[in-house]
Amino acid sequence: MSKALPVALRVGILTFHWTYHIGALLQTFALYNVLRSHFNSLVINFLPRLAIQVMPTINVLKAVKKYRGNGVGSTLKGFLGEAVNYMLWFTTERRREMYHRQFLKMLNLTSEITTLRELQENLRYFDVVVVGSDQVWRPDFLPYADYAYLLPFKLEETKKVAYAASFGVDNLNAIPGDLLAMYSRSLRDFVRISIREQSHIPWVSKLVGVNAEHALDPTFLMGASFWKSLALRPDLDGLKDGDFIFIYNLEFEMIKSMEPLLTSLSRRGFQLVAYRTPHLFPLILGASDIKYYAKLKRKTGIVFLGFIDPFEFLYLIAESKYVITDSYHGTIFSIIFEKNFISISPRKTSIRILDLLGLMGLEERVAHRINEVWKKLDEEIEYRNVRRRIEFHRRRSYDFLISAVKDYGRL
C-alpha cells in the first residue's frame, strides 16, 4: 500500500460498538459512515470485560438477609421480586441481543479481540487508529477494559488519533494521580487529539503538553435527512405523529415528581411516551412504586416502553411534539431534528449537556429543577441561528477528522 494515496489508508475505529446503549451505537454508526466514505475503514471488534453479559440468578439468600427482620411476608416479597427480576431481565436482554446482532451486521468489523495483547497485534494492520467518540476515557471504566482505549503501548507504524473523546465526568481534578500519569504517558503518543467537552480542553492540553482541540459528537456529522431515513416506527398502538411527547431516559422517581406537568399535558390532548433505561422490577423494593405506576397510567395514559432500539429512538424524537430528556444524545437529536425540548440536568454528569447547549446558544433549554420544565417547555426555539452554529462546528469537526487521518501520509 502506498502512503501517497490517502484514499487507500487503512483506518481502525476503536469505540463502544459492543454496548446496547442507544447513544453509543448511533455515534459508532455515524463515525463509521463518515470514515468509510473516505478510507478503508473497519470497526475494531474489541470486547472489554463489561461487554460480556452475565445472566443474573434468583438470589434467595440476598432476599432472606435483606428482609428477615421484617417478617415472613417481606422475605417472600423479596424472593418474588428476585424471581421477577430474573424473568424480565432474560426477556429484555434477549431482545437487546437479537437487535444488537442485526446492528453489527451494518458495520464492517474485525475479528473478535478480547485482550490488550491481541489488540496491539491487530492494530499493526492499520495505518491509523481513531479512538472515540463517547466516554472512552472514563476513569471508572478504563480498568474494566485494561486501559485499552488509551492505547497504552507503542505502535511503530500505526498513528493514533482521538476524535471527540470524552472522560465522562465533570471534575477531572478528582482523577487519581496514578491514572493521571497513565493518561499523560499514553496520550502523548497520539498525533492529534480532539475532545468532546469544550470545558475539558485546557486541562487535557496541559496534561499532555499539546493543544487538544474540540470536535462535535459524531452524530452531528450526519444531517437530519440521514437520520430520518433510518428512523423506524415502534409497534405502539395509537401513536399519532406530532401529537405525542417523548420522555427519554428519566428515572422513575423523576417522572413521579413530574406528575402535575404530565397531568396537564395529558389534559391538553398529548399522548405521553416514556422510555427509561430498564431497571430491575421494583417489587423487591415494595408495592408503592407499582401502585404509583398504575396510578400514573390511569391518570395520564402514559405509555412506558421497556425497550426501544436506536432507530425507534430516532423516530420517537423526530415525530414528537416535545422532548423531555436528561440524556446527552437525547439532547443532540432533539437539536438535529429541531424539536422543542427541555434537557433536565443530570446530577453528576451535567457538563457534557451544558457544554453542548452553550455551543449551540441554547443555554435556556436546560432545567436544573423539575418545576422549571413547565415554564420552559412552551417557549419556541428559533433554530435559524442554531443551524448556522451546527454547520460551522460540523465543518470544523469534519475537517479535523479527515485531515487527522490523511496527515498520516505526511508523517
Short mmCIF file of all heavy atoms in Angstrom, two decimals, residues 147-193:
data_model
loop_
_atom_site.label_atom_id
_atom_site.label_comp_id
_atom_site.label_asym_id
_atom_site.label_seq_id
_atom_site.Cartn_x
_atom_site.Cartn_y
_atom_site.Cartn_z
N TYR A 147 -7.48 -0.59 30.16
CA TYR A 147 -6.98 0.71 29.69
C TYR A 147 -6.76 0.75 28.18
O TYR A 147 -6.02 1.59 27.67
CB TYR A 147 -5.68 1.08 30.44
CG TYR A 147 -5.85 1.07 31.93
CD1 TYR A 147 -5.53 -0.07 32.68
CD2 TYR A 147 -6.38 2.17 32.60
CE1 TYR A 147 -5.73 -0.09 34.06
CE2 TYR A 147 -6.58 2.15 33.97
CZ TYR A 147 -6.25 1.02 34.70
OH TYR A 147 -6.46 1.00 36.05
N ALA A 148 -7.46 -0.13 27.48
CA ALA A 148 -7.23 -0.28 26.04
C ALA A 148 -7.52 1.00 25.26
O ALA A 148 -6.85 1.29 24.26
CB ALA A 148 -8.10 -1.41 25.49
N TYR A 149 -8.50 1.80 25.71
CA TYR A 149 -8.90 2.99 24.94
C TYR A 149 -7.89 4.12 25.06
O TYR A 149 -8.02 5.14 24.38
CB TYR A 149 -10.30 3.43 25.35
CG TYR A 149 -11.34 2.41 24.95
CD1 TYR A 149 -11.64 1.33 25.78
CD2 TYR A 149 -11.98 2.49 23.73
CE1 TYR A 149 -12.57 0.37 25.40
CE2 TYR A 149 -12.91 1.54 23.33
CZ TYR A 149 -13.19 0.48 24.17
OH TYR A 149 -14.09 -0.48 23.78
N LEU A 150 -6.88 3.94 25.91
CA LEU A 150 -5.74 4.86 25.94
C LEU A 150 -4.63 4.40 25.01
O LEU A 150 -3.64 5.12 24.83
CB LEU A 150 -5.19 4.98 27.37
CG LEU A 150 -6.10 5.65 28.41
CD1 LEU A 150 -5.46 5.57 29.79
CD2 LEU A 150 -6.37 7.10 28.04
N LEU A 151 -4.79 3.20 24.44
CA LEU A 151 -3.74 2.60 23.60
C LEU A 151 -2.39 2.68 24.31
O LEU A 151 -1.44 3.29 23.82
CB LEU A 151 -3.67 3.29 22.23
CG LEU A 151 -4.94 3.28 21.39
CD1 LEU A 151 -4.71 4.00 20.07
CD2 LEU A 151 -5.42 1.85 21.14
N PRO A 152 -2.27 2.03 25.48
CA PRO A 152 -1.08 2.19 26.33
C PRO A 152 0.08 1.33 25.89
O PRO A 152 0.70 0.62 26.69
CB PRO A 152 -1.59 1.77 27.71
CG PRO A 152 -2.60 0.70 27.39
CD PRO A 152 -3.28 1.14 26.10
N PHE A 153 0.40 1.38 24.61
CA PHE A 153 1.53 0.62 24.07
C PHE A 153 2.03 1.34 22.82
O PHE A 153 1.31 2.14 22.22
CB PHE A 153 1.11 -0.81 23.73
CG PHE A 153 -0.25 -0.94 23.10
CD1 PHE A 153 -0.51 -0.46 21.82
CD2 PHE A 153 -1.29 -1.54 23.81
CE1 PHE A 153 -1.77 -0.59 21.25
CE2 PHE A 153 -2.56 -1.64 23.24
CZ PHE A 153 -2.79 -1.18 21.96
N LYS A 154 3.25 1.05 22.45
CA LYS A 154 3.85 1.68 21.29
C LYS A 154 3.38 0.98 20.01
O LYS A 154 3.25 -0.23 19.96
CB LYS A 154 5.37 1.63 21.36
CG LYS A 154 5.97 2.45 22.48
CD LYS A 154 5.78 3.94 22.24
CE LYS A 154 6.45 4.77 23.32
NZ LYS A 154 6.25 6.23 23.08
N LEU A 155 3.11 1.79 19.00
CA LEU A 155 2.80 1.28 17.66
C LEU A 155 3.73 1.99 16.70
O LEU A 155 3.61 3.20 16.48
CB LEU A 155 1.33 1.55 17.30
CG LEU A 155 0.28 0.80 18.14
CD1 LEU A 155 -1.11 1.33 17.83
CD2 LEU A 155 0.34 -0.70 17.87
N GLU A 156 4.65 1.26 16.13
CA GLU A 156 5.70 1.89 15.32
C GLU A 156 5.16 2.54 14.06
O GLU A 156 5.56 3.64 13.69
CB GLU A 156 6.77 0.84 14.97
CG GLU A 156 7.50 0.27 16.18
CD GLU A 156 8.19 1.34 17.00
OE1 GLU A 156 8.67 2.32 16.39
OE2 GLU A 156 8.25 1.20 18.24
N GLU A 157 4.24 1.88 13.38
CA GLU A 157 3.75 2.39 12.09
C GLU A 157 2.34 2.96 12.16
O GLU A 157 1.95 3.79 11.36
CB GLU A 157 3.78 1.26 11.05
CG GLU A 157 5.18 0.74 10.76
CD GLU A 157 6.07 1.80 10.12
OE1 GLU A 157 5.54 2.67 9.41
OE2 GLU A 157 7.29 1.77 10.35
N THR A 158 1.56 2.50 13.10
CA THR A 158 0.17 2.94 13.21
C THR A 158 0.07 4.23 14.00
O THR A 158 0.57 4.32 15.13
CB THR A 158 -0.68 1.86 13.90
OG1 THR A 158 -0.52 0.63 13.20
CG2 THR A 158 -2.15 2.24 13.92
N LYS A 159 -0.57 5.23 13.41
CA LYS A 159 -0.73 6.52 14.07
C LYS A 159 -2.02 6.54 14.88
O LYS A 159 -3.04 5.99 14.46
CB LYS A 159 -0.72 7.66 13.05
CG LYS A 159 0.53 7.68 12.19
CD LYS A 159 1.80 7.75 13.03
CE LYS A 159 3.04 7.70 12.16
NZ LYS A 159 4.28 7.66 12.96
N LYS A 160 -1.97 7.22 16.03
CA LYS A 160 -3.11 7.28 16.95
C LYS A 160 -3.78 8.65 16.86
O LYS A 160 -3.12 9.67 16.97
CB LYS A 160 -2.65 7.03 18.38
CG LYS A 160 -1.88 5.73 18.58
CD LYS A 160 -1.34 5.65 20.01
CE LYS A 160 -0.48 4.42 20.24
NZ LYS A 160 0.07 4.38 21.62
N VAL A 161 -5.11 8.63 16.69
CA VAL A 161 -5.91 9.85 16.63
C VAL A 161 -7.08 9.69 17.59
O VAL A 161 -7.69 8.63 17.65
CB VAL A 161 -6.43 10.11 15.20
CG1 VAL A 161 -7.45 11.26 15.19
CG2 VAL A 161 -5.27 10.40 14.25
N ALA A 162 -7.40 10.74 18.34
CA ALA A 162 -8.59 10.74 19.19
C ALA A 162 -9.62 11.67 18.59
O ALA A 162 -9.32 12.84 18.33
CB ALA A 162 -8.24 11.19 20.61
N TYR A 163 -10.83 11.15 18.37
CA TYR A 163 -11.89 12.01 17.85
C TYR A 163 -13.01 12.15 18.88
O TYR A 163 -13.66 11.17 19.27
CB TYR A 163 -12.50 11.46 16.55
CG TYR A 163 -13.59 12.39 16.07
CD1 TYR A 163 -13.25 13.58 15.41
CD2 TYR A 163 -14.92 12.16 16.36
CE1 TYR A 163 -14.22 14.49 15.05
CE2 TYR A 163 -15.90 13.07 16.00
CZ TYR A 163 -15.55 14.24 15.34
OH TYR A 163 -16.52 15.15 15.01
N ALA A 164 -13.23 13.39 19.33
CA ALA A 164 -14.32 13.74 20.25
C ALA A 164 -14.37 12.79 21.43
O ALA A 164 -15.44 12.36 21.87
CB ALA A 164 -15.66 13.77 19.52
N ALA A 165 -13.21 12.46 21.98
CA ALA A 165 -13.16 11.58 23.13
C ALA A 165 -13.68 12.31 24.37
O ALA A 165 -13.55 13.53 24.49
CB ALA A 165 -11.72 11.10 23.36
N SER A 166 -14.26 11.54 25.28
CA SER A 166 -14.83 12.13 26.48
C SER A 166 -14.36 11.37 27.71
O SER A 166 -14.17 10.15 27.67
CB SER A 166 -16.36 12.11 26.41
OG SER A 166 -16.93 12.55 27.64
N PHE A 167 -14.20 12.11 28.82
CA PHE A 167 -13.85 11.49 30.09
C PHE A 167 -15.09 11.09 30.88
O PHE A 167 -14.98 10.37 31.86
CB PHE A 167 -13.00 12.46 30.92
CG PHE A 167 -11.63 12.69 30.35
CD1 PHE A 167 -11.44 13.63 29.35
CD2 PHE A 167 -10.54 11.97 30.80
CE1 PHE A 167 -10.17 13.86 28.82
CE2 PHE A 167 -9.27 12.19 30.28
CZ PHE A 167 -9.09 13.12 29.28
N GLY A 168 -16.25 11.57 30.49
CA GLY A 168 -17.50 11.14 31.11
C GLY A 168 -17.73 11.60 32.52
O GLY A 168 -18.67 11.15 33.18
N VAL A 169 -16.88 12.48 33.05
CA VAL A 169 -17.04 13.03 34.39
C VAL A 169 -16.87 14.53 34.33
O VAL A 169 -16.25 15.06 33.40
CB VAL A 169 -16.03 12.42 35.39
CG1 VAL A 169 -16.27 10.93 35.58
CG2 VAL A 169 -14.59 12.67 34.94
N ASP A 170 -17.41 15.22 35.31
CA ASP A 170 -17.32 16.67 35.31
C ASP A 170 -15.99 17.16 35.87
O ASP A 170 -15.36 18.05 35.32
CB ASP A 170 -18.47 17.26 36.14
CG ASP A 170 -19.79 17.24 35.37
OD1 ASP A 170 -19.81 16.67 34.26
OD2 ASP A 170 -20.79 17.76 35.89
N ASN A 171 -15.56 16.59 37.00
CA ASN A 171 -14.38 17.09 37.71
C ASN A 171 -13.16 16.24 37.39
O ASN A 171 -12.92 15.19 38.00
CB ASN A 171 -14.64 17.09 39.22
CG ASN A 171 -13.49 17.69 40.00
OD1 ASN A 171 -12.58 18.31 39.43
ND2 ASN A 171 -13.49 17.49 41.31
N LEU A 172 -12.36 16.68 36.44
CA LEU A 172 -11.16 15.93 36.06
C LEU A 172 -10.08 16.01 37.13
O LEU A 172 -9.21 15.14 37.18
CB LEU A 172 -10.62 16.47 34.73
CG LEU A 172 -11.57 16.35 33.52
CD1 LEU A 172 -10.90 16.89 32.27
CD2 LEU A 172 -12.01 14.91 33.30
N ASN A 173 -10.14 17.01 37.97
CA ASN A 173 -9.13 17.14 39.03
C ASN A 173 -9.25 16.06 40.10
O ASN A 173 -8.35 15.89 40.91
CB ASN A 173 -9.22 18.52 39.68
CG ASN A 173 -8.79 19.63 38.73
OD1 ASN A 173 -7.84 19.46 37.97
ND2 ASN A 173 -9.51 20.74 38.74
N ALA A 174 -10.39 15.35 40.10
CA ALA A 174 -10.59 14.28 41.08
C ALA A 174 -10.02 12.94 40.62
O ALA A 174 -10.06 11.96 41.36
CB ALA A 174 -12.08 14.13 41.38
N ILE A 175 -9.48 12.89 39.40
CA ILE A 175 -8.89 11.65 38.89
C ILE A 175 -7.64 11.31 39.70
O ILE A 175 -6.78 12.18 39.90
CB ILE A 175 -8.56 11.78 37.40
CG1 ILE A 175 -9.85 11.99 36.59
CG2 ILE A 175 -7.83 10.55 36.88
CD1 ILE A 175 -9.62 12.26 35.10
N PRO A 176 -7.50 10.06 40.16
CA PRO A 176 -6.32 9.69 40.98
C PRO A 176 -5.01 9.91 40.24
O PRO A 176 -4.93 9.82 39.01
CB PRO A 176 -6.55 8.19 41.24
CG PRO A 176 -8.01 7.98 41.04
CD PRO A 176 -8.44 8.96 39.99
N GLY A 177 -3.96 10.18 41.02
CA GLY A 177 -2.66 10.52 40.45
C GLY A 177 -2.07 9.44 39.57
O GLY A 177 -1.46 9.73 38.53
N ASP A 178 -2.23 8.14 39.96
CA ASP A 178 -1.65 7.08 39.16
C ASP A 178 -2.31 6.98 37.80
O ASP A 178 -1.66 6.71 36.78
CB ASP A 178 -1.72 5.74 39.88
CG ASP A 178 -3.14 5.37 40.29
OD1 ASP A 178 -4.02 6.26 40.32
OD2 ASP A 178 -3.38 4.17 40.57
N LEU A 179 -3.62 7.25 37.77
CA LEU A 179 -4.33 7.23 36.50
C LEU A 179 -3.97 8.45 35.66
O LEU A 179 -3.85 8.37 34.43
CB LEU A 179 -5.84 7.15 36.73
CG LEU A 179 -6.72 6.99 35.49
CD1 LEU A 179 -6.27 5.82 34.62
CD2 LEU A 179 -8.18 6.81 35.89
N LEU A 180 -3.78 9.58 36.32
CA LEU A 180 -3.34 10.78 35.60
C LEU A 180 -2.01 10.53 34.88
O LEU A 180 -1.82 10.96 33.73
CB LEU A 180 -3.17 11.95 36.57
CG LEU A 180 -4.42 12.70 37.01
CD1 LEU A 180 -4.05 13.80 37.99
CD2 LEU A 180 -5.16 13.27 35.81
N ALA A 181 -1.11 9.84 35.55
CA ALA A 181 0.18 9.54 34.94
C ALA A 181 0.01 8.66 33.71
O ALA A 181 0.69 8.85 32.70
CB ALA A 181 1.09 8.85 35.96
N MET A 182 -0.94 7.72 33.78
CA MET A 182 -1.19 6.86 32.62
C MET A 182 -1.81 7.65 31.48
O MET A 182 -1.43 7.48 30.31
CB MET A 182 -2.10 5.69 33.00
CG MET A 182 -2.43 4.78 31.83
SD MET A 182 -3.28 3.28 32.30
CE MET A 182 -1.91 2.32 32.91
N TYR A 183 -2.76 8.54 31.81
CA TYR A 183 -3.33 9.42 30.79
C TYR A 183 -2.21 10.20 30.09
O TYR A 183 -2.11 10.23 28.86
CB TYR A 183 -4.30 10.42 31.41
CG TYR A 183 -5.70 9.93 31.67
CD1 TYR A 183 -6.26 10.03 32.94
CD2 TYR A 183 -6.48 9.40 30.65
CE1 TYR A 183 -7.55 9.61 33.20
CE2 TYR A 183 -7.78 8.98 30.90
CZ TYR A 183 -8.30 9.08 32.17
OH TYR A 183 -9.59 8.67 32.42
N SER A 184 -1.39 10.84 30.88
CA SER A 184 -0.35 11.70 30.33
C SER A 184 0.62 10.91 29.45
O SER A 184 0.94 11.32 28.33
CB SER A 184 0.41 12.38 31.48
OG SER A 184 1.45 13.18 30.98
N ARG A 185 1.07 9.78 29.96
CA ARG A 185 2.03 8.98 29.24
C ARG A 185 1.45 8.42 27.93
O ARG A 185 2.09 8.46 26.88
CB ARG A 185 2.50 7.83 30.14
CG ARG A 185 3.57 6.94 29.52
CD ARG A 185 4.11 5.97 30.55
NE ARG A 185 3.08 5.10 31.11
CZ ARG A 185 2.59 5.20 32.34
NH1 ARG A 185 3.03 6.15 33.15
NH2 ARG A 185 1.67 4.37 32.77
N SER A 186 0.22 7.92 28.00
CA SER A 186 -0.38 7.27 26.83
C SER A 186 -0.81 8.28 25.77
O SER A 186 -0.58 8.09 24.57
CB SER A 186 -1.58 6.43 27.26
OG SER A 186 -1.21 5.41 28.16
N LEU A 187 -1.43 9.38 26.20
CA LEU A 187 -1.98 10.32 25.23
C LEU A 187 -0.92 11.13 24.50
O LEU A 187 -1.18 11.70 23.45
CB LEU A 187 -2.98 11.26 25.91
CG LEU A 187 -4.22 10.56 26.51
CD1 LEU A 187 -5.19 11.59 27.08
CD2 LEU A 187 -4.92 9.69 25.48
N ARG A 188 0.29 11.14 25.04
CA ARG A 188 1.37 11.84 24.34
C ARG A 188 1.76 11.14 23.04
O ARG A 188 2.44 11.72 22.20
CB ARG A 188 2.59 11.97 25.27
CG ARG A 188 2.41 12.98 26.37
CD ARG A 188 3.57 12.99 27.36
NE ARG A 188 3.25 13.84 28.51
CZ ARG A 188 3.50 15.14 28.57
NH1 ARG A 188 4.07 15.75 27.55
NH2 ARG A 188 3.17 15.84 29.65
N ASP A 189 1.33 9.89 22.89
CA ASP A 189 1.62 9.16 21.66
C ASP A 189 0.63 9.47 20.54
O ASP A 189 0.84 9.04 19.40
CB ASP A 189 1.59 7.64 21.92
CG ASP A 189 2.89 7.15 22.52
OD1 ASP A 189 3.88 7.90 22.50
OD2 ASP A 189 2.91 6.01 23.03
N PHE A 190 -0.45 10.18 20.86
CA PHE A 190 -1.45 10.49 19.85
C PHE A 190 -0.97 11.66 18.99
O PHE A 190 -0.50 12.68 19.51
CB PHE A 190 -2.79 10.85 20.51
CG PHE A 190 -3.58 9.66 20.97
CD1 PHE A 190 -3.12 8.85 22.00
CD2 PHE A 190 -4.79 9.33 20.38
CE1 PHE A 190 -3.83 7.75 22.44
CE2 PHE A 190 -5.51 8.24 20.80
CZ PHE A 190 -5.04 7.44 21.83
N VAL A 191 -1.13 11.53 17.66
CA VAL A 191 -0.68 12.60 16.78
C VAL A 191 -1.67 13.76 16.75
O VAL A 191 -1.28 14.90 16.49
CB VAL A 191 -0.42 12.07 15.35
CG1 VAL A 191 0.74 11.09 15.35
CG2 VAL A 191 -1.67 11.43 14.74
N ARG A 192 -2.94 13.46 16.97
CA ARG A 192 -3.97 14.52 17.06
C ARG A 192 -4.99 14.10 18.11
O ARG A 192 -5.39 12.93 18.18
CB ARG A 192 -4.69 14.73 15.71
CG ARG A 192 -3.82 15.20 14.57
CD ARG A 192 -3.51 16.69 14.63
NE ARG A 192 -4.69 17.53 14.47
CZ ARG A 192 -5.23 17.87 13.29
NH1 ARG A 192 -4.70 17.41 12.16
NH2 ARG A 192 -6.28 18.68 13.23
N ILE A 193 -5.43 15.07 18.91
CA ILE A 193 -6.41 14.79 19.96
C ILE A 193 -7.53 15.81 19.87
O ILE A 193 -7.29 17.02 19.88
CB ILE A 193 -5.78 14.86 21.37
CG1 ILE A 193 -4.73 13.75 21.55
CG2 ILE A 193 -6.85 14.75 22.45
CD1 ILE A 193 -4.00 13.82 22.88
#
